[in-house]
Structure formats: C-alpha cells, structure tokens
Amino acid sequence: MNNDIEKVLYTHEQVNHRLDELASELTAKYHDQQPVIVSVMTGALVFTGEMIERLNFKLTLDYVDVSSYADGTQSGKVQLIQDLSTDIKDRPVIIMEDIVDTGHTLKFLKDLLKGRSAKSIEICALLDKPDRREADVEGDYIGFEVPNEFIVGYGLDYSGLYRNLPFVGVLKRSVYEN
Ligand code: IMP
Ligand code: MG
C-alpha cells in the first residue's frame, strides 16, 4: 500500500497537532451550543472520529452520504444517498468533510440544511484544494491546504482504497493512469 504513495504531505504527528488546534477553535465557539456534527460519509469518517474525541462538550453526531457525478452536461451534480436522522431545526450545525475540492458537495449540503432552518451552518474540513473550486463555498475551519494532486489517507480514498493510511499523501500517477 505504501509503495503507491508519491509523497507524504502531512504526517500523522502533523495532522494530530493541527486537529488539536481546530478542536480548540471549535470548543471556544460551540462548547455551550450543543451543535449537530454532520459527518459526510465515507471520506470524513476518520477525520470526524479523530475530531469528536477532542471536543469535550455536548454534541449530537449524525452523518449523511452523498454521491457526486458528471452527467455530461452538468458537472458536479450531487445526490443525497443517506439523509440525517436528527432534526436540525434551530440547532447549530457543523459539517465535517474530508476535502473541499470543487465545492459542489458542500454547496449542495449547505443549501439542503439551510432549507431545514438550522440555527447556523459552518464547515470544518481536513483539507482544502482551492485550485479546483467551482462552487461558491468555503470552509470555515480548514486543517491544511493541498496542491492540485490526487490525495489519499486519513479517510480519503482512491477507488475505495487507502482510507486507512495514517497520513495525508499524494497517490502515484501510475496507480490511476493505467
Ligand atoms: P467536491 O468536488 O468538493 O464536491 O468533492 C467531492 C468529494 O470528492 C470529496 O468529498 C472527496 O470525498 C472527493 N475528493 C475530492 N478530491 C479528492 C482527492 O484528492 N482525493 C480523494 N478524494 C477526493
Ligand atoms: Mg466525500
């Protein structure tokens, strides 16, 4: 598995340190608000797990699953596959995502949850790939910026694999250009 990695961008230690900082920021803002954490499956599973154990206050954990696809005419069409089971009306919501890439997924989710009268909605993402942005959305809490390359590890996959790598790395082109 490690042979398929071009380079490590952020080590386990660096990620852990950054997650501590993000958790402090979230704690300062949300410690008395009982937010709903909305984890976007499956990429944000590792990040969410690592984050919530650092959040020492009352919160509700829930998740959604979405898929994005291009249908030829429209790029970045997003579909809801699994909805929340929590009523978010008048609740502060923090969406936890693995990476803000084109931004279509987060734009779709933010609009969807806005329509349910959440008290507030913020986005917390492990990674941001700003070069690729198409939709008008930004993360409120970002772990790291990454270059426009294919990233795996810490929950991010290529073809369902590499999510369990304990670091953020760039996948070798030879893996997906065959
Ligand atoms: P969007 O383009 O911002 O809508 O991102 C859609 C989804 O694509 C993200 O939630 C990730 O799961 C996935 N994704 C985007 N860039 C990468 C990457 O570099 N590696 C792995 N998954 C990615
Ligand atoms: Mg995703």
Side-chain angles (χ1 to χ4, degrees), residues 93-155:
V93 170
I94 307 168
I95 302 174
M96 294 222 174
E97 177 59 308
D98 52 358
I99 185 167
V100 193
D101 188 36
T102 64
H104 289 299
T105 303
L106 283 167
K107 177 85 170 78
F108 168 85
L109 277 175
K110 218 174 164 179
D111 289 347
L112 179 79
L113 302 186
K114 244 185 229 166
R116 295 178 186 180
S117 307
K119 184 180 175 196
S120 60
I121 304 174
E122 286 196 309
I123 291 168
C124 177
L126 174 64
L127 304 174
D128 186 11
K129 209 192 270 179
D131 292 352
R132 292 254 305 164
R133 198 79 81 252
E134 293 174 4
D136 181 21
V137 68
E138 293 303 327
D140 299 287
Y141 307 86
I142 295 290
F144 304 100
E145 261 192 28
V146 290
N148 190 7
E149 306 207 55
F150 204 88
I151 312 296
V152 291
Y154 246 94

Side-chain angles (χ1 to χ4, degrees), residues 42-107:
T42 303
L45 190 143
V46 175
F47 175 54
T48 306
E50 292 278 338
M51 282 300 293
I52 60 167
E53 66 175 27
R54 291 168 161 85
L55 301 178
N56 186 23
F57 54 82
K58 286 182 184 164
L59 57 82
T60 304
L61 177 61
D62 205 339
Y63 66 94
V64 291
D65 196 1
V66 293
S67 76
S68 48
Y69 57 91
D71 67 4
T73 51
Q74 227 177 332
S75 74
K77 226 176 166 204
V78 183
Q79 211 177 11
L80 189 66
I81 293 172
Q82 174 71 51
D83 203 343
L84 293 173
S85 49
T86 307
D87 180 6
I88 60 164
K89 187 173 183 318
D90 299 328
R91 302 274 310 268
V93 170
I94 307 168
I95 302 174
M96 294 222 174
E97 177 59 308
D98 52 358
I99 185 167
V100 193
D101 188 36
T102 64
H104 289 299
T105 303
L106 283 167
K107 177 85 170 78

Side-chain angles (χ1 to χ4, degrees), residues 7-30:
K7 62 173 180 268
V8 174
L9 293 177
Y10 300 104
T11 64
H12 194 244
E13 206 178 15
Q14 287 172 313
V15 174
N16 277 339
H17 178 72
R18 184 67 186 126
L19 297 197
D20 288 343
E21 293 177 344
L22 287 179
S24 299
E25 284 185 56
L26 288 177
T27 299
K29 176 148 182 182
Y30 286 101

